Amino acid sequence: MPATQRPSTRSTPATGAHSLESTLSSEPQEHRQEAEVDAVPIFGPALPFLPNAGIVGLIPEDFNFERHIVVPEGVTQLGLPLGTRIRRNVELEHFNEESIATTVDVMAMPVPRPPDADIGPPLKTPYFYTEEEIKELVGSQALCDSLGPLAPSLIRQIGASRDKKKRDADLARQAEKERDKEVDSSLRNKLLGTMEMQNPIRRVFGEAKEVVIPT
């Protein structure tokens, strides 16, 4: 008796079914290139992060430059010696001047600004001087020389205080001279008053009274 042939369990691919590889291989080369180009997403260049300005992208036209060009008020650290604060302020002032110059240059750039145009780094807070310390520096050039070099702002402050002190002294001397003149004038008037004649005879040059010759 002939053996019964069992049907095969392997599935035969259906007619017209193709794998992805056979489909791509069967497409024309130019069609495949167009499909690849269409499938790639198109993005613009990455916007830069500007660390000093603290923003991503170009600095806009309405950017607030004002707060980046005003030096913060001085901080009081009286525990530091005067000479140390003076030396540190020289470095801080130079740093702030360079930062402000960079910021001002960016302000002057036309909009849109270059993508790498960033403002200057954050301004640093200088150290504070007391009124007594300023008075000592104003009154002693030797002290200024021993603690120098001084920051330009401190030099201007000392110079302005010395100029005011000189003007005040000049005004005081002028006022004292005016008072002395008033005293001298008052004394002179008193002395002249004691020497006045009572009912003085007024003499007019060329005038003569009638002379009576006795007979």
Side-chain angles (χ1 to χ4, degrees):
M1 183 173 179
T4 305
Q5 186 177 2
R6 295 181 179 181
S8 176
T9 59
R10 291 181 301 176
S11 61
T12 304
T15 305
H18 302 281
S19 65
L20 178 60
E21 295 180 358
S22 61
T23 302
L24 292 177
S25 61
S26 62
E27 291 182 352
Q29 181 70 20
E30 60 272 12
H31 290 175
R32 290 204 307 272
Q33 291 178 352
E34 290 177 0
E36 292 174 358
V37 171
D38 293 340
V40 175
I42 300 176
F43 297 101
L47 295 177
F49 174 71
L50 305 178
N52 296 334
I55 61 174
V56 176
L58 309 182
I59 295 181
E61 185 176 3
D62 59 348
F63 184 79
N64 184 12
F65 289 97
E66 187 68 23
R67 64 190 184 93
H68 297 280
I69 59 177
V70 177
V71 178
E73 294 185 1
V75 60
T76 303
Q77 287 193 2
L78 300 181
L80 291 176
L82 176 60
T84 302
R85 281 176 280 143
I86 288 177
R87 288 192 297 272
R88 290 186 179 181
N89 277 344
V90 171
E91 299 175 358
L92 292 177
E93 189 161 322
H94 177 73
F95 175 88
N96 288 341
E97 287 179 351
E98 293 296 325
S99 175
I100 292 174
T102 301
T103 301
V104 172
D105 289 342
V106 174
M107 288 176 59
M109 293 179 180
V111 179
R113 297 180 174 91
D116 59 344
D118 196 3
I119 61 174
L123 301 178
K124 297 182 178 181
T125 303
Y127 293 95
F128 181 77
Y129 305 115
T130 65
E131 293 184 2
E132 291 299 324
E133 289 171 339
I134 294 297
K135 288 181 180 179
E136 291 179 1
L137 294 170
V138 170
S140 175
Q141 183 59 43
L143 179 61
C144 294
D145 294 339
S146 64
L147 296 175
L150 309 180
S153 62
L154 182 57
I155 294 175
R156 290 192 295 269
Q157 184 177 1
I158 293 174
S161 298
R162 288 177 178 174
D163 290 343
K164 183 179 183 302
K165 186 177 181 180
K166 183 178 181 300
R167 288 194 303 270
D168 293 343
D170 292 341
L171 291 175
R173 284 193 296 269
Q174 186 65 28
E176 185 176 358
K177 289 181 180 179
E178 294 295 333
R179 288 193 299 269
D180 292 342
K181 288 181 180 180
E182 292 177 359
V183 172
D184 293 342
S185 177
S186 177
L187 290 175
R188 188 179 302 107
N189 291 335
K190 288 180 180 180
L191 290 174
L192 290 176
T194 59
M195 297 174 62
E196 289 182 355
M197 298 177 64
Q198 298 295 327
N199 300 322
I201 299 175
R202 185 179 179 186
R203 300 294 184 180
V204 180
F205 181 76
E207 178 183 358
K209 293 185 178 180
E210 183 180 356
V211 179
V212 179
I213 298 175
T215 56

